[in-house]
């Protein structure tokens, strides 16, 4: 064993059994020194400051792109719901790097040792990203349906369905594949978006005007919304109990 300045270069292995005890001790320290929780409004504003500027820039780019398409593409070439079907998934393609910042930067253990646990911080990031995405999708639905004199309800149904299903599929895949990088999450979202585009190109046109297909799309939208809420609830519960399956770094 080499010695330099009287210090050993040997670093003992960390015992995984001590992980929970370490986190518990950190929480107790924080609670004893700062016993009160941070108000949710303040916590929301704090997390809002940490959202990457690239996320906001991307939202503006998508909005301007859809505005240009709504003006440039002649009425009758596409219907408003079809345009939103292809552009809507782009709204949330940067969501995962922001929602899972602690995982991608190997900071989960530190967040779990704070007085505001990982689940609370994740919910705040989820609210910021989710509310922004839904507001932008609603605004795009208003713009496209107005520009092409189409039904707002039909535009929302056709535009929201792929958006929700892509997120519903991406979340379990992120857990199964153990992706822990921003690039990996972006690639996964891009692949599922491309798959939705190919499916839409093959199947969307024959179904667009049929009353029966509207009922099918509405049921698909409702099912995706329910399952996505369940999936997010399970994820939040796992984070609260410290079972998100990450290794001590």
């Amino acid at each position: 064993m080499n010695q330099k300045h009287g210090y050993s270069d040997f670093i003992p292995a960390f015992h995984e059994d001590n992980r929970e005890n370490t986190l518990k001790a950190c929480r107790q320290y924080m609670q004893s020194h700062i016993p009160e929780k941070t108000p949710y409004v303040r916590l929301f504003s704090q997390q809002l400051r940490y959202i990457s500027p690239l996320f906001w820039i991307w939202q503006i780019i998508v909005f301007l792109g859809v505005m240009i398409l709504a003006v440039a593409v002649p009425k009758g070439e596409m219907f408003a719901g079809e345009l939103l079907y292809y552009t809507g998934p782009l709204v949330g393609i940067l969501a995962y790097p922001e929602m899972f910042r602690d995982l991608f930067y190997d900071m989960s253990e530190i967040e779990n040792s704070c007085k505001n646990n990982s689940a609370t911080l994740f919910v705040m990031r989820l609210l910021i990203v989710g509310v922004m995405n839904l507001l932008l999708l609603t605004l795009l639905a208003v713009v496209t349906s107005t520009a092409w004199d189409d039904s707002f309800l039909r535009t929302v149904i056709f535009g929201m369905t792929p958006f929700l299903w892509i997120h519903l599929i991406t979340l379990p895949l992120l857990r199964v594949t153990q992706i822990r990088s921003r690039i990996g999450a972006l690639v996964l979202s891009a692949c599922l978006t491309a798959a939705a585009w190919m499916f839409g190109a093959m199947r969307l046109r024959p179904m667009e005007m049929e009353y029966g297909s509207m009922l099918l799309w509405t049921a698909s939208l409702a099912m995706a919304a329910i399952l996505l809420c369940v999936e997010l609830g399970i994820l939040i519960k796992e984070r609260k109990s410290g079972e998100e399956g990450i290794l001590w770094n």
Side-chain angles (χ1 to χ4, degrees):
M1 185 183 299
N2 295 326
Q3 299 285 338
K4 187 176 182 180
H5 302 298
Y7 295 99
S8 170
D9 62 356
F10 174 72
I11 301 176
F14 182 84
H15 295 287
E16 194 64 27
D17 295 339
N18 294 332
R19 177 177 181 270
E20 290 301 324
N21 292 332
T22 303
L23 296 179
K24 183 178 179 180
C26 292
R27 292 193 192 101
Q28 290 175 347
Y29 177 85
M30 293 297 296
Q31 290 172 0
S32 62
H33 287 73
I34 311 176
E36 295 183 359
K37 294 284 186 179
T38 305
Y40 288 125
V41 175
R42 182 180 176 186
L43 193 59
F44 183 90
S45 64
Q46 289 176 346
Q47 290 299 310
L48 187 62
R49 296 203 308 268
Y50 296 127
I51 299 296
S52 171
L54 183 62
F55 175 80
W56 304 113
I57 294 172
W58 179 251
Q59 307 302 308
I60 296 173
I61 291 174
V62 172
F63 175 73
L64 294 178
V66 174
M67 288 279 290
I68 293 172
L69 288 175
V71 174
V73 178
K75 182 180 178 181
E77 292 289 329
M78 300 173 70
F79 68 105
E82 187 177 359
L83 175 60
L84 198 57
Y85 178 99
Y86 291 113
T87 57
L90 296 176
V91 172
I93 206 166
L94 295 180
Y96 296 104
E98 303 305 325
M99 289 167 54
F100 297 99
R101 292 176 69 89
D102 54 335
L103 296 182
F104 297 153
Y105 287 110
D106 295 323
M107 299 292 288
S108 296
E109 283 82 6
I110 293 179
E111 282 198 354
N112 269 326
S113 67
C114 298
K115 62 173 182 173
N116 299 296
N117 59 35
S118 177
T120 303
L121 299 178
F122 174 75
V123 169
M124 292 300 151
R125 290 192 293 264
L126 175 63
L127 284 175
I128 294 171
V129 174
V131 168
M132 180 61 195
N133 285 345
L134 292 178
L135 284 177
L136 182 55
L137 281 171
T138 303
L139 183 59
L140 292 178
V142 171
V143 170
T144 53
S145 61
T146 302
W148 291 349
D149 194 22
D150 205 342
S151 168
F152 172 76
L153 181 60
R154 186 173 73 163
T155 302
V156 169
I157 291 174
F158 277 96
M160 290 284 195
T161 300
F163 174 84
L164 291 181
W165 274 102
I166 286 173
H167 285 289
L168 180 63
I169 296 172
T170 303
L171 280 170
L173 286 178
L174 282 174
R175 298 171 64 190
V176 171
T177 57
Q178 294 291 308
I179 292 176
R180 292 293 181 264
S181 70
R182 297 166 64 89
I183 300 300
L186 288 174
V187 170
L188 182 59
S189 296
C191 289
L192 291 174
T193 300
W197 289 346
M198 289 187 290
F199 179 81
M202 292 186 295
R203 298 290 185 182
L204 193 59
R205 276 292 179 181
M207 299 172 61
E208 65 187 46
M209 298 302 294
E210 299 175 7
Y211 178 72
S213 70
M214 281 296 296
L215 294 179
L216 181 63
W217 278 85
T218 304
S220 178
L221 178 65
M223 183 182 299
I226 294 172
L227 293 177
L228 185 59
C229 290
V230 172
E231 175 68 24
L232 289 172
I234 294 173
L235 185 59
I236 292 171
K237 184 178 179 180
E238 289 179 352
R239 279 174 162 259
K240 190 172 183 180
S241 60
E243 297 177 0
E244 59 270 26
I246 44 180
L247 301 176
W248 185 275
N249 191 343

